[in-house]
């Protein structure tokens, strides 16, 4: 039986599973977690441990049809300016609830389009963040930069604010595919943005590229990857396009008859993967690549790679606070998500209330299963010693886990009393294997394709 047949037999091409950027996943959050809970979690933060801060800017000048992020379009600066004022107010609410001495280890501005903010707004928001807490000595400040929505003034403002890593979404360089997905962004515009960043000393660059887009062929994705490689990004996220029109109505603009079949999607991924590997990038988890010496590669090599709502990360901060509409925070005690609707979010903040809509408080089992899933997603292996020492698992319980997953995926898992390992041939099944350890009911949640 060849590999393709094995993967099909195990259900890879039919399965829809979470991406496991959290455990439990967001569909299992509830309103049982309140603003009062989060206030307690904030006050309990350890000042000796830096925090991560995520700032969500939901606005875009134009909504891309492929995107499933929670965003809204605007053609004027008024709503953006009002939103920035609300962000500043939320930051001031947080400041009164965190202990003195907290520092920021990681800061990320995501969206939407953070570079929709004008230079003055960028400086204003940055000042409010610095008022909340200073950067730690070895901080990272990354921003999602839209090459279509950035200029010298904004790049200067971001550099002055301390940005030292930029993330650029490429998706695909083919003009016909760009037209189909509603995202026009030429190679020339992208290169100009990269050159502008590097001219300001921002040498660390992330890039996102998608496979599984309508009309994509092995030849077309190879050409896009080769163009991307000329920009020499330090990290690349090779994401599968998630066609979820029940979540993102704008995706109804995508012609479904032009979408590659699951088997074709795997072929597209492999073409892109091979090009990155041939160019000496190191594979990170299921869909990232990094240059040797980059923080992600070092984290993989030293066993400290982690996974959060931004994907794979070398962020070691135990707490990530989300600021802005729909932002999700992770505390040692659980998750908390702000109101997704901008209007509800702004109303709560203006009333002086932490804008928490829902969340989840961790149980001991959540911690255990979450770590198993993260280890599989990051390292393709789970070590018995770690689970026994840190999570109170017995050897007999580990052995039972190992037998269960090995039986479910015959020929794809290597097990021993010491560890569970996903074989190389089975790496396309990683999200499905991770799901095997998910104790939550998935019958109501709709997820993206497993490949």
């Amino acid at each position: 039986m060849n590999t393709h047949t094995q993967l099909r037999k195990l259900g890879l091409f039919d399965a829809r599973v979470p991406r496991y950027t959290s455990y439990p996943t967001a569909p299992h959050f509830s309103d049982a977690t309140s603003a009062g809970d989060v206030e307690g979690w904030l006050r309990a933060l350890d000042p000796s441990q830096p925090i991560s801060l995520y700032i969500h800017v939901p606005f875009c000048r134009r909504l891309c049809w492929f995107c499933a992020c929670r965003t809204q379009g605007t053609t004027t600066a008024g709503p953006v300016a009002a939103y920035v004022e609300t962000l500043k107010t939320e930051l001031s609410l947080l400041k009164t609830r965190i202990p003195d001495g907290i520092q920021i280890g990681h800061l990320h501005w995501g969206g939407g389009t953070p570079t929709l903010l004008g230079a003055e707004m960028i400086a204003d928001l940055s000042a409010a963040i610095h008022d909340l807490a200073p950067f730690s000595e070895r901080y990272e400040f990354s921003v999602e930069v839209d090459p279509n929505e950035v200029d010298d003034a904004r790049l200067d403002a971001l550099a002055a604010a301390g940005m030292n890593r930029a993330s650029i979404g490429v998706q695909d360089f083919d003009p016909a595919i760009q037209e189909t997905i509603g995202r026009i962004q030429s190679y020339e515009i992208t290169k100009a943005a990269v050159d502008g960043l590097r001219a300001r000393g921002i040498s660390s660059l992330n890039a996102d590229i998608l496979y599984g887009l309508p009309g994509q062929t092995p030849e077309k994705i190879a050409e896009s990857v080769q163009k991307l490689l000329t920009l020499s990004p330090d990290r690349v996220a090779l994401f599968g396009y998630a066609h979820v029109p029940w979540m993102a109505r704008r995706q109804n603009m995508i012609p479904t008859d032009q979408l590659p079949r699951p088997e074709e999607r795997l072929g597209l991924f492999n073409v892109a993967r091979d090009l990155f590997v041939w160019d000496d990038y190191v594979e990170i988890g299921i869909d990232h690549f990094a240059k040797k010496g980059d923080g992600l590669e070092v984290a993989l090599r030293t066993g400290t790679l982690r996974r959060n709502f931004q994907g794979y990360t070398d962020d070691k901060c135990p707490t990530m606070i989300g600021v802005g509409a729909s932002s999700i925070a992770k505390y040692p005690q659980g998750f908390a998500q702000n109101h997704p609707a901008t209007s509800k979010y702004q109303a709560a903040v203006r009333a002086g209330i932490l804008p928490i809509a829902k969340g989840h408080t961790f149980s001991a089992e959540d911690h255990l299963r979450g770590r198993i899933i993260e280890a599989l997603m990051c390292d393709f292996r789970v070590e018995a010693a770690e689970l026994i020492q840190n999570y109170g698992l017995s050897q007999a319980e580990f052995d039972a886990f190992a037998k269960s997953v090995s039986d479910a995926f015959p020929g794809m898992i290597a097990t021993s009393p010491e560890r569970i390992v996903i074989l190389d041939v089975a790496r396309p099944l990683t999200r499905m294997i991770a799901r095997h350890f998910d104790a939550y009911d998935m019958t109501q949640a709709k997820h993206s394709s497993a490949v």
Side-chain angles (χ1 to χ4, degrees):
M1 187 185 300
N2 64 36
T3 300
H4 213 69
T5 302
Q6 285 179 293
L7 296 175
R8 182 184 298 111
K9 185 177 179 181
L10 289 167
L12 175 66
F13 302 122
D14 301 313
R16 290 188 171 273
V17 290
R19 293 184 183 271
Y20 287 115
T21 54
S22 73
Y23 183 82
T25 56
H28 299 291
F29 295 179
S30 76
D31 59 8
T33 298
S34 67
D37 294 319
V38 175
E39 290 213 16
W41 297 349
L42 287 165
R43 297 187 194 283
L45 290 175
D46 180 355
S48 70
Q49 296 285 334
I51 61 168
S52 291
L53 198 64
Y54 172 71
I55 308 291
H56 187 66
V57 179
F59 297 99
C60 294
R61 190 78 64 194
R62 176 182 175 183
L63 297 179
C64 303
W65 301 332
F66 74 90
C67 181
C69 297
R70 192 171 289 277
T71 59
Q72 58 195 83
T74 183
T75 56
T76 63
V80 182
Y83 182 80
V84 169
E85 289 303 312
T86 311
L87 290 176
K88 289 163 56 181
T89 303
E90 185 183 3
L91 289 165
S92 68
L93 293 176
L94 291 169
K95 184 178 180 180
T96 64
R97 291 160 171 82
I98 63 173
D100 292 338
I102 290 284
Q103 294 184 324
I104 297 171
H106 273 65
L107 172 62
H108 183 77
W109 294 12
T113 309
T115 51
L116 197 68
L117 274 60
E120 289 186 6
M121 291 185 202
I122 290 170
D124 203 22
L125 178 57
S126 176
I129 292 168
H130 286 295
D131 185 58
L132 171 71
F135 285 143
S136 63
E137 184 178 355
R138 303 184 69 178
Y139 76 92
E140 180 176 290
F141 174 16
S142 61
V143 177
E144 294 174 15
V145 174
D146 181 353
N148 289 312
E149 194 61 56
V150 75
D151 54 24
D152 285 342
R154 283 177 277 188
L155 288 175
D156 287 342
L158 288 168
M163 180 177 76
N164 53 18
R165 181 178 289 278
S167 181
I168 291 182
V170 169
Q171 322 319 337
D172 192 289
F173 281 122
D174 184 89
I177 293 175
Q178 290 184 357
E179 192 75 39
T180 303
I181 65 175
R183 169 75 173 220
I184 307 303
Q185 179 183 313
S186 69
Y187 171 81
E188 291 72 23
I189 286 174
T190 307
K191 185 177 185 302
V194 171
D195 290 345
L197 289 161
R198 289 185 168 142
R200 289 162 175 82
I202 303 161
S203 58
S204 297
L205 177 68
N206 301 0
D208 296 345
I209 190 166
L210 292 178
Y211 70 92
L213 292 171
Q216 217 172 34
T217 64
E219 295 75 19
K220 287 184 176 182
I221 197 169
E223 184 176 355
S224 287
V225 169
Q226 288 166 335
K227 285 183 176 180
L228 177 59
L229 287 170
T230 67
L231 302 178
S232 194
D234 298 88
R235 302 176 185 177
V236 178
L238 175 62
F239 291 132
Y241 165 61
H243 191 63
V244 287
W246 55 87
M247 287 175 53
R249 285 182 293 176
R250 73 192 75 165
Q251 289 189 349
N252 287 309
M253 301 290 290
I254 300 288
T256 55
D257 60 334
Q258 294 183 32
L259 291 172
R261 293 179 295 107
E263 293 90 339
E264 294 170 331
R265 284 170 61 95
L266 182 58
L268 293 168
F269 173 86
N270 286 332
V271 167
R273 171 199 172 274
D274 288 346
L275 287 170
F276 288 123
V277 172
W278 287 337
D279 214 53
D280 211 27
Y281 282 76
V282 176
E283 287 187 81
I284 308 292
I286 62 170
D287 53 15
H288 281 50
F289 302 83
K291 288 183 177 180
K292 291 173 182 174
D294 177 82
L296 276 191
E297 186 273 332
V298 173
L300 176 68
R301 186 159 27 92
T302 57
T304 57
L305 185 66
R306 294 293 179 261
R307 191 160 171 83
N308 65 18
F309 291 104
Q310 277 99 57
Y312 290 105
T313 181
D314 56 348
D315 180 4
K316 299 180 180 66
C317 299
T319 296
M320 181 177 73
I321 299 176
V323 179
S326 80
S327 286
I328 300 177
K330 182 181 181 181
Y331 300 89
Q333 301 90 339
F335 294 116
Q337 183 172 18
N338 284 354
H339 287 292
T342 304
S343 57
K344 283 190 175 182
Y345 159 74
Q346 290 181 314
V349 172
R350 289 167 182 167
I353 303 168
L354 292 178
I356 307 303
K358 55 186 176 179
H360 179 85
T361 301
F362 295 137
S363 66
E365 185 177 7
D366 289 334
H367 284 298
L368 168 65
R369 291 181 178 270
R371 178 56 194 146
I372 292 172
I373 288 170
E374 183 180 53
L376 290 171
M377 296 291 293
C378 291
D379 304 313
F380 304 110
R381 64 175 57 218
V382 181
E383 298 290 338
E386 179 191 0
L387 301 185
I388 291 168
Q389 179 178 336
N390 297 339
Y391 298 91
L393 196 71
S394 69
Q395 184 65 56
E397 289 170 324
F398 180 85
D399 293 343
F401 273 148
K403 183 178 187 308
S404 174
V405 73
S406 181
D407 289 347
F409 297 92
M412 297 289 164
I413 309 284
T415 63
S416 70
E418 290 77 32
R419 61 189 56 88
I420 298 167
V421 180
I422 299 175
L423 299 178
D424 287 353
V425 70
R427 290 192 177 186
L429 296 164
T430 298
R431 287 165 60 198
M432 293 177 63
I433 295 169
R435 182 184 63 180
H436 185 81
F437 293 94
D438 191 330
Y440 288 86
D441 179 13
M442 291 193 196
T443 57
Q444 301 303 314
K446 296 181 178 181
H447 296 289
S448 58
S449 170
V451 62

